[in-house]
Structures are given as C-alpha cells and as structure tokens.
Amino acid sequence: MDKYFSYYRVSSKNQEDEVVSLDVQKEANLLYAKEMSFEIIKEFREVQSAAKTGRKEFTAMIKE
C-alpha cells in the first residue's frame, strides 16, 4: 500500500464552518485514499490564506 500525507487548508476562520471546512476536506481525502488503496500516514491542517508566504504546515509537510 502506498503511503501519503494529507493536507487540508482553508483561507480564513470563517471558512472552517462552511462547505469547504477542514473536516469536509479530510473526509474527501480519506474516501479517495480508501478508493485508491493509499495509506495516509500523517495529516497537516492549516487555516491561512494562500496569498501569504510561509505557510507553516505546508512547509513542514514538504520537508518531511
């Protein structure tokens, strides 16, 4: 089974409660991973605009 990281991001605190929430993204990623026989070995969650540089969790994921 292939192993992968899963990354979820919203641009603002307001989006956390909307349709694109982190939990909705997580559910979609888990479903896709199951369908593709992928193992998610670590999750990264972030609430930060893509316009800002230096997204901490994304950078940590890339380093791993």
Side-chain angles (χ1 to χ4, degrees):
M1 182 178 285
D2 293 328
K3 297 179 182 184
Y4 292 89
F5 294 146
S6 190
Y7 178 76
Y8 324 114
R9 185 189 66 79
V10 291
S11 296
S12 68
K13 290 278 186 193
N14 293 339
Q15 284 186 327
E16 284 186 279
D17 298 326
E18 295 178 8
V19 177
V20 294
S21 75
L22 295 173
D23 291 335
V24 171
Q25 291 177 47
K26 179 179 180 175
E27 287 177 31
N29 283 11
L30 290 174
L31 179 61
Y32 182 77
K34 183 177 180 180
E35 290 173 356
M36 301 301 293
S37 297
F38 296 161
E39 179 184 358
I40 295 176
I41 59 171
K42 190 167 184 178
E43 297 176 339
F44 296 84
R45 299 169 64 101
E46 193 144 51
V47 178
Q48 186 172 4
S49 171
K52 295 181 180 179
T53 60
R55 289 180 281 161
K56 182 180 176 183
E57 291 299 309
F58 183 79
T59 301
M61 179 182 68
I62 296 301
K63 286 182 179 180
E64 284 195 42

